[in-house]
Amino acid sequence: MKGPLFYSKILLFGEYGIIKDSKGLSIPYNFFKGALKTDENPSESAQKSNKSLKAYVEYLRKLEKEEQGLVSFDLQTLEEDVANGMYFDSSIPQGYGIGSSGALVAAIYDKYATDKITVLENLTREKLLKLKEIFGKMESFFHGKSSGLDPLNSYLSLPILINSKDNIESTSIPSQNKEGKGAVFLLDSGIIGETAPMVQLFMEKMKQEGFRNMIKTKFIKHTDACVEDFLNGNVKSLFGNLKQLSHVVFDNFKPMIPSKFHQLWKQGIETNDYYLKLCGSGGGGYILGFTQDLDKAKKALEGHNLEVVYNF
């Protein structure tokens, strides 16, 4: 038994900002994926996943009671499948900011939600917001608090433009130029990041007036501009805004940047060979990079593995 595949996602722009109503742009990343599965001889990781699904079933039962009318599941079938050893077979690394729990949530909703909103119908803004709310509640089990965007992206497998908290839409992004020299890439920090403590740290910082002002006047401003530039294919303007954004993150989000990357981060801003930004909540996992010349970036980041996500 093997369910349909659900992919990882990359939030290109909007990390932290979307908590405070900045724009955001999230795209599916088909390199990593996961599916619900049952095996005759489950591996250790399959058993571990199955155990966590058992706890998750209890959580969903509680959610259904507490949020009546929001979402309901065929809990009996889900429980039977989990009792028979079902697990989430996934190549998506956990704690890497690319939506490992999001893909699992999407898979569970797709298979067990009754009266579900499907990808085939006309996805109005209301439907998208409803899905986002359902997924946010479903994913809270893993993160404490979730925007619901990761599962939404995984479920729809479409790029999603976040205009504000209450305004999201599926969008199209400019086609890739496979011959282009420019690229968006992932850099592996080699450290597993924990989402909850990083978000907590951000919320603590938000209590300071200076930090709040910086978010509004600099971080959100440059994030919004990057989203606009990317969607409109304004590469030159995009890289100007990326440089500013990378600078703002370096100056104000140091705890979220693994310390061994501080020097490389700064080097990118100084040489303009590439610009780095957080991928997800930071603290480890992947770091997102943008360059107008991939060969130059590879040279400058020698010793690091660059996974290309998109070509300009």
Side-chain angles (χ1 to χ4, degrees), residues 19-20 26 28 37 63 85 109 116 121 128-129 131 142 174 181 201 224 252-253 255 272 288 295 308:
I19 301 176
K20 293 291 156 207
S26 181
K37 233 171 132 179
L63 176 67
Y109 177 84
K116 67 179 182 193
E121 54 198 89
L128 283 173
L129 285 171
L131 270 175
F142 303 97
K181 286 170 77 172
L201 191 63
D224 288 1
N252 299 282
F253 288 80
N272 299 317
L288 207 47
D295 291 335
V308 174

Side-chain angles (χ1 to χ4, degrees), residues 137-254:
K137 295 271 168 38
M138 284 177 73
E139 201 184 31
S140 299
F141 174 76
F142 303 97
H143 286 324
K145 189 177 185 328
S146 157
S147 68
L149 277 169
D150 289 6
L152 185 64
N153 207 296
S154 197
Y155 182 63
L156 300 177
S157 235
L158 294 165
I160 292 170
L161 170 64
I162 302 115
N163 293 304
S164 66
K165 276 200 190 73
D166 307 320
N167 182 350
I168 55 173
E169 54 188 302
S170 58
T171 186
S172 57
I173 57 176
S175 326
Q176 296 201 51
N177 173 8
K178 286 292 183 193
E179 306 303 304
K181 286 170 77 172
V184 182
F185 59 87
L186 291 173
L187 203 57
D188 189 345
S189 72
I191 308 161
I192 289 178
E194 288 279 340
T195 301
M198 291 293 141
V199 173
Q200 219 172 339
L201 191 63
F202 174 77
M203 290 311 201
E204 276 303 307
K205 279 175 165 283
M206 282 302 285
K207 290 176 183 167
Q208 304 159 14
E209 197 185 339
F211 190 82
R212 280 202 306 275
N213 279 341
M214 177 278 302
I215 289 291
K216 207 160 63 193
T217 58
K218 292 182 177 167
F219 187 77
I220 290 182
K221 180 182 144 196
H222 296 309
T223 296
D224 288 1
C226 282
V227 171
E228 293 291 328
D229 287 340
F230 189 89
L231 289 176
N232 295 320
N234 299 336
V235 176
K236 196 166 186 256
S237 172
L238 170 66
F239 276 87
N241 281 306
L242 272 166
K243 180 171 186 167
Q244 302 282 355
L245 185 59
S246 186
H247 220 304
V248 170
V249 172
F250 186 71
D251 291 342
N252 299 282
F253 288 80
K254 277 246 176 56

Side-chain angles (χ1 to χ4, degrees), residues 1 35-39 46-47 49-51 53-54 57 77-89 104 108 111-112:
M1 166 188 139
L36 292 167
K37 233 171 132 179
T38 307
D39 283 347
Q47 289 172 19
S49 165
N50 173 258
K51 199 173 157 189
L53 279 179
K54 279 189 183 130
V57 175
T77 309
L78 173 56
E79 205 156 19
E80 283 164 14
D81 289 346
V82 171
N84 290 329
M86 183 176 77
Y87 67 100
F88 191 59
D89 180 26
L104 166 59
I108 294 280
K111 190 163 184 199
Y112 299 100

